[in-house]
Amino acid sequence: MNIDSTRSAEQHSVTIWEINRDRLTAMQHKLSDTPKLLSVAAGKSTCSIFKVPQTLIDVNGKSYEPHIISVGPFHHGQPHLKMIEEHKWRFLRQLLNRTSVKGTVLEDYLKAVQPLEITARECYSGTVPYSTDEFIEMMVLDGCFVIELLRKFGGLVEFEDYDPLIRMSWIVSFFLRDLIRLENQIPYFILECLFELTKTEASPTLATLALNFFNLATQRPDHVLEKYAHVEAKHLLDLLRSTFLPHELEKPIKPDNRPPPHVIHSISKLRRAGIKLKTWEAESFLVVDFKRGVIHMPTISIDDFMSAFLLNTVAFEQCHSGCSKHFTTYVTLVDCLINTSKDVSYLCDSNIIENYFGTDAEVATLFNNMGKDISFDIDDCYMARLFDDVNRHYHTGWHVQVASLKYTYFNTPWSFVSALAAFVLLLLTVAQTFYTILSYVRPP
């Protein structure tokens, strides 16, 4: 009995050892593999172009995907983007026809980009599944198309007669949005390399051309854009983002000797506590302040472009390891202020929001979704002092009760009339009671 059991145990151990040997071989193969969907380089500050996290896609849908043009490898070759892919070659041909006069040919473009290949690949969060030749061709073709597009809209190069890319106005609006999508970028140093190779002596800077192009949607004064003619950036989305950062508030302001700040209530509740909301002039809508019970905010226009810009900028801040969280903080603030369409209506009436996006309910949904599944440290954000001051004011004793009384009974003319009528009725009741008691104590 013991001998049989021993043989059985030996056979069993041999069987288990064979299974482990196969599994060990498979594990050894996996040990040599490197992550492809999220590369190791994605954690470096040099990585700046990311696939948007699925959690954000689940909330905000296709706001991160290009609709008519692909730039870079993440959406390269998709069927619905082939229409503009054909025009990229037309734009490159036009560029070569101009630069061939001074002896610059297609081979020069490829040779200029080739030394930048490895650095450019490391800018993407996932492994780029293209060969060296394919990758360099993509960088040159996409980069030259973007630069030519900026030159044409900047008036440096004329559009061809009846060019559909300018004659069809709907295409321009999609260009504006697709060129600021996080997944649809190429490194800015690639654009600069190609730009320097093809520019003329009197040409504005690449940043100036790009910001003037995006100004078709943002509509900012020229003197604001002039300050960023030589700004450095990681890609076009980062370029536009950097021009909105409030320089005087770049360093987080932490409250001293105070408990950690908390997010604030909706504007409806804040108004009941006497906190008001007023618009003020500033170069960026990110410059928000709170003084003497009043939140001061610049006006922001909400439309299709701005919604795409905010969503993709927040996604960029969530993914980039060395990036400040200014836009994330601003979106969190507005998300706190807005709970319902009534809150949006009040922000519109106060000229804080100019709504070109849709109904008030749609704007409320936009910001509420934008604030979901994002991570930011309220202690380190540049509005830490504001969140703290608003909360302290909201929870202060007697003036909250007075403000609530005013909001309830004196917010509208009809509520004031009702309160006044109730007060007069109370006086008459008191007077009647007084004379009744007086007639009982001192009868005539």
Side-chain angles (χ1 to χ4, degrees):
M1 186 66 177
N2 292 337
I3 295 176
D4 292 340
S5 62
T6 302
R7 291 177 178 174
S8 177
E10 290 177 352
Q11 292 174 355
H12 182 65
S13 64
V14 170
T15 303
I16 293 177
W17 177 251
E18 290 177 355
I19 294 175
N20 282 344
R21 178 68 66 179
D22 294 339
R23 189 163 295 180
L24 180 62
T25 302
M27 291 176 65
Q28 288 174 338
H29 284 297
K30 290 183 178 180
L31 285 173
S32 61
D33 292 340
T34 56
K36 294 181 175 59
L37 298 180
L38 185 65
S39 66
V40 177
K44 300 179 181 179
S45 59
T46 53
C47 182
S48 58
I49 305 170
F50 303 87
K51 294 289 286 185
V52 176
Q54 188 61 42
T55 54
L56 298 182
I57 296 176
D58 291 341
V59 174
N60 300 305
K62 297 183 178 180
S63 302
Y64 309 102
E65 298 180 7
H67 290 179
I68 65 170
I69 177 176
S70 72
V71 178
F74 283 159
H75 295 275
H76 181 74
Q78 292 190 2
H80 71 285
L81 304 175
K82 285 186 177 180
M83 180 183 73
I84 301 300
E85 197 71 20
E86 296 173 350
H87 287 273
K88 289 180 182 179
W89 292 100
R90 178 170 66 89
F91 272 40
L92 180 58
R93 182 177 66 250
Q94 294 172 2
L95 177 61
L96 289 171
N97 289 339
R98 292 201 318 273
T99 59
S100 61
V101 176
K102 60 178 184 178
T104 306
V105 296
L106 179 59
E107 185 178 353
D108 296 320
Y109 297 177
L110 300 174
K111 287 182 177 180
V113 171
Q114 189 276 328
L116 305 175
E117 179 200 357
I118 296 177
T119 307
R121 285 179 181 270
E122 292 179 349
C123 292
Y124 293 93
S125 63
T127 301
V128 179
Y130 296 103
S131 67
T132 294
D133 292 339
E134 292 171 331
F135 184 77
I136 293 175
E137 177 187 312
M138 182 195 308
M139 293 291 103
V140 170
L141 182 62
D142 291 356
C144 288
F145 177 81
V146 170
I147 292 171
E148 279 293 277
L149 191 70
L150 299 180
R151 285 189 175 128
K152 288 175 181 289
F153 278 96
L156 301 183
V157 178
E158 292 184 359
F159 279 94
E160 290 182 335
D161 293 337
Y162 307 109
D163 191 325
L165 300 191
I166 186 64
R167 292 289 181 177
M168 298 182 179
S169 57
W170 70 270
I171 293 182
V172 177
S173 63
F174 278 102
F175 276 152
L176 287 165
R177 279 174 270 167
D178 279 358
L179 292 181
I180 57 166
R181 301 193 195 275
L182 177 58
E183 297 182 355
N184 209 38
Q185 302 292 323
I186 61 175
Y188 195 73
F189 59 80
I190 294 289
L191 292 177
E192 285 187 314
C193 173
L194 295 170
F195 181 78
E196 292 295 324
L197 192 64
T198 60
K199 74 175 184 179
T200 59
E201 292 183 0
S203 171
T205 65
L206 176 60
T208 297
L209 287 175
L211 293 176
N212 285 336
F213 173 69
F214 290 125
N215 209 41
L216 295 173
T218 57
Q219 298 292 311
R220 292 189 288 173
D222 292 338
H223 69 86
V224 174
L225 303 181
E226 290 172 359
K227 298 187 299 184
Y228 302 100
H230 301 281
V231 66
E232 296 182 359
K234 299 183 180 301
H235 40 66
L236 290 181
L237 173 63
D238 184 47
L239 172 70
L240 185 59
R241 170 188 173 273
S242 64
T243 64
F244 282 93
L245 298 182
H247 298 290
E248 68 275 13
L249 297 175
E250 282 186 356
K251 294 183 179 180
I253 304 174
K254 295 182 180 181
D256 298 326
N257 301 323
R258 294 186 181 184
H262 300 281
V263 293
I264 61 178
H265 293 282
S266 68
I267 189 58
S268 298
K269 290 185 177 180
L270 295 180
R271 290 175 64 199
R272 293 188 181 94
I275 297 176
K276 299 179 181 179
L277 195 61
K278 291 185 179 180
T279 184
W280 70 342
E281 293 294 329
E283 290 187 358
S284 169
F285 55 77
L286 298 178
V287 183
V288 184
D289 195 18
F290 178 74
K291 292 180 180 178
R292 299 178 182 178
V294 179
I295 301 175
H296 298 276
M297 299 180 68
T299 302
I300 180 173
S301 298
I302 302 299
D303 53 18
D304 291 334
F305 176 84
M306 184 55 69
S307 66
F309 177 50
L310 291 175
L311 285 165
N312 283 272
T313 305
V314 170
F316 174 59
E317 292 183 350
Q318 292 292 294
C319 295
H320 193 269
S321 59
C323 187
S324 69
K325 302 296 187 289
H326 282 79
F327 277 79
T328 303
T329 303
Y330 177 82
V331 165
T332 302
L333 171 70
V334 180
D335 180 29
C336 290
L337 294 176
I338 295 175
N339 271 351
T340 66
S341 59
K342 292 183 179 179
D343 296 327
V344 176
S345 179
Y346 178 74
L347 291 175
C348 292
D349 292 341
S350 302
N351 294 323
I352 303 300
I353 289 180
E354 292 180 349
N355 181 11
Y356 305 106
F357 184 75
T359 64
D360 291 344
E362 289 174 323
V363 174
T365 301
L366 171 69
F367 278 101
N368 293 157
N369 288 343
M370 209 181 298
K372 289 181 179 178
D373 292 331
I374 60 175
S375 173
F376 95 112
D377 188 351
I378 194 171
D379 294 328
D380 268 341
C381 74
Y382 79 102
M383 289 190 194
R385 173 74 69 178
L386 182 142
F387 281 110
D388 183 63
D389 289 345
V390 171
N391 269 316
R392 290 170 69 87
H393 189 94
Y394 179 83
H395 293 290
T396 302
W398 63 271
H399 79 85
V400 175
Q401 304 299 327
V402 173
S404 179
L405 182 68
K406 289 173 61 178
Y407 182 85
T408 303
Y409 296 106
F410 302 99
N411 190 41
T412 64
W414 290 112
S415 61
F416 173 74
V417 170
S418 300
L420 180 61
F423 181 70
V424 171
L425 181 60
L426 177 62
L427 289 180
L428 293 176
T429 302
V430 170
Q432 182 181 11
T433 303
F434 174 76
Y435 282 111
T436 300
I437 295 174
L438 182 62
S439 63
Y440 177 77
V441 175
R442 294 182 180 180

